[in-house]
Amino acid sequence: MERPGEGQGESAIAERPHGGSVGARLVISDSSHLFTMVATLSWVALVAAPLLISSALDALAGGIPLLGVALWLGLLRVARWLSPLTRADALIERSAYADALALCDETLGVSGVGAWVGRRRLAWLNRRFSALLGLGRYDEALAAAVDAMEVSPDPETIANFAFALLRLNHYEGAITAAREASALTHGRSVRANATLAWAMLARGQPAEAEALASMSLADIEALSPYVRRENHVTSLSALAHAQRLLGMRRHASATVARLRRLTKRSPTLVSAALLEEASLSANEPAHAAELVTFAFASDPAYTGWYLTQPDALPFLREAPEVGPLFAQGAEGQARMNTRTPDDEVIARLLASLRPDERARPTLQRSGAALNTQLITLTATVILLLFWMWRFFISQTF
């Protein structure tokens, strides 16, 4: 794939900035081989040996074999909770984006035998993209999306690339990339459809935006609970925006109410609900200005981007308490765009893609670790059935 690092405005992709040091934190490496060994040995010690010994001695042993099975299953569950990818997801879900970014950078910085490689590395690259996006570092998020596409230009990575372009107001590139992602998933890419909805709003086509946002929300209902909350918020906010522009105020108010319920526990995502509520408050400019101020305090980057959209809160552009935020948002977007590729470079990159329709979803576990779990769980069921037959079923005949 052609690298978009040659020419004006391409330093964000060329430099690949990473997060800073986080002190004495433990660097996370790919320890799936260690998990495989520990899972196998603990299974032998806690499950296989007690069940076989109990059967050989013809003694129930006070139910200790069953306790060993329960303990081993509990250990598997704890291991899943403590896995690095689960920790990164939990941090992103809590909007702790700086901590999530630090974890991703530490993990991706590991080299040698402990490094995450191939499509398993892609899982971390995609999480790094989400963390940078949450922090409002859209130019760096674009670079992270390109890194991920170099590993696998699949629907998820292309949709991420499209979304980063949207947040940098590169609408045409965002539309092209989002349509590519939607084509690979037969229209069922939540992020791609949400991106297209916002791009249509920027083009002044609210009817098309309303249809795309509705399609995205229908897919969210079908795919729940596997859809990230930020994608749900993006789709709802696009729908509310489009409904307001189409004069569907009652529907827009209902959509904003859904947004408030979804974002009330997230200090950053709540800004989307506040801004859409402000857009519905044209008859109460003072209240709308207060909502925008709160939104800016919650998430300056998203609010700044929202205020640069063509039809965003026109009745507040001259308000003394909010007017400077419009200028600040425009300055922030311009600053990031000096570090991002121009439209020609983006077009060349998109043209060079060889999308991989089959590479979905992103693999997160190693084959050895997954096979170990499947084999040991199957063997546990077989041993349990034999043990129960030996002591309970056979004795009834």
Side-chain angles (χ1 to χ4, degrees):
M1 184 190 307
E2 180 178 344
R3 295 276 297 186
E6 304 171 357
Q8 181 181 4
E10 301 167 23
S11 60
I13 291 182
E15 293 174 5
R16 299 287 198 272
H18 289 267
S21 172
V22 288
R25 283 189 178 182
L26 178 66
V27 174
I28 303 297
S29 62
D30 184 0
S31 56
S32 56
H33 62 289
L34 179 61
F35 169 84
T36 301
M37 292 174 54
V38 172
T40 302
L41 292 174
S42 63
W43 179 80
V44 171
L46 295 174
V47 178
L51 288 172
L52 292 173
I53 291 173
S54 173
S55 299
L57 295 177
D58 195 20
L60 283 170
I64 291 177
L66 294 179
L67 180 61
V69 172
L71 180 59
W72 182 75
L73 292 174
L75 287 175
L76 276 186
R77 188 64 179 173
V78 170
R80 179 170 295 182
W81 286 339
L82 296 178
S83 70
L85 283 166
T86 301
R87 288 171 52 196
D89 285 336
L91 289 170
I92 292 172
E93 181 66 20
R94 298 200 307 267
S95 300
Y97 299 116
D99 289 336
L101 178 62
L103 181 60
C104 292
D105 283 340
E106 289 171 338
T107 304
L108 292 168
V110 175
S111 59
V113 294
W116 296 70
V117 296
R119 284 184 54 77
R120 298 191 67 223
R121 180 179 177 84
L122 181 61
W124 283 103
L125 291 171
N126 286 333
R127 283 159 178 78
R128 186 171 190 271
F129 168 84
S130 295
L132 287 166
L133 196 73
L135 290 170
R137 292 155 60 174
Y138 304 140
D139 52 341
E140 296 178 52
L142 180 66
V146 172
D147 284 340
M149 285 199 302
E150 288 174 349
V151 176
S152 176
D154 60 30
E156 182 179 5
T157 58
I158 296 173
N160 287 345
F161 180 70
F163 196 69
L165 289 174
L166 173 72
R167 288 294 175 86
L168 291 164
N169 293 342
H170 285 272
Y171 301 117
E172 294 308 312
I175 290 171
T176 302
R179 284 177 174 164
E180 184 69 56
S182 293
L184 291 174
T185 55
H186 307 290
R188 300 203 66 166
S189 174
V190 170
R191 173 156 277 176
N193 285 329
T195 299
L196 286 170
W198 274 106
M200 293 302 107
L201 288 170
R203 277 184 165 185
Q205 298 174 290
E208 289 81 355
E210 194 270 341
L212 286 161
S214 297
M215 184 187 306
S216 180
L217 289 167
D219 288 339
I220 287 172
E221 291 181 5
L223 298 171
S224 180
Y226 303 107
V227 176
R228 290 190 178 276
R229 185 166 49 162
E230 57 265 30
N231 290 336
H232 198 170
V233 168
T234 301
S235 300
L236 279 174
S237 57
L239 180 62
H241 207 89
Q243 289 170 335
R244 175 178 56 81
L245 293 176
L246 291 170
M248 304 164 60
R249 290 188 58 84
R250 186 167 60 84
H251 291 86
S253 297
T255 303
V256 169
R258 292 171 63 188
L259 256 178
R260 283 198 297 265
R261 290 193 296 271
L262 186 63
T263 62
K264 63 182 179 182
R265 290 180 295 176
S266 172
T268 52
L269 295 178
V270 72
S271 60
L274 291 172
L275 289 166
E276 295 306 332
E277 186 177 350
S279 296
L280 288 171
S281 304
N283 295 330
E284 303 175 86
H287 177 60
E290 185 179 16
L291 291 172
V292 174
T293 302
F294 286 151
F296 189 84
S298 299
D299 190 341
Y302 176 79
T303 303
W305 171 79
Y306 185 93
L307 296 179
T308 64
Q309 301 312 293
D311 59 355
L313 300 163
F315 60 93
L316 287 181
R317 289 186 181 272
E318 304 301 324
E321 61 270 52
V322 177
L325 298 183
F326 283 88
Q328 191 171 336
E331 290 172 6
Q333 290 295 122
R335 197 161 48 245
M336 283 189 286
N337 273 304
T338 63
R339 302 192 294 269
T340 58
D342 57 27
D343 290 333
E344 182 180 349
V345 173
I346 291 169
R348 290 205 310 269
L349 173 61
L350 292 173
S352 71
L353 287 178
R354 296 294 180 270
D356 185 356
E357 184 175 4
R358 296 167 298 174
R360 185 174 180 90
T362 300
L363 297 177
Q364 299 183 9
R365 300 187 183 91
S366 71
L370 184 58
N371 289 334
T372 296
Q373 292 182 64
L374 291 175
I375 292 171
T376 52
L377 285 170
T378 301
T380 298
V381 172
I382 293 172
L383 286 174
L384 269 176
L385 290 174
F386 171 75
W387 189 80
M388 292 174 66
W389 175 86
R390 175 73 178 79
F391 289 103
F392 298 101
I393 300 175
S394 65
Q395 295 181 7
T396 63
F397 296 100

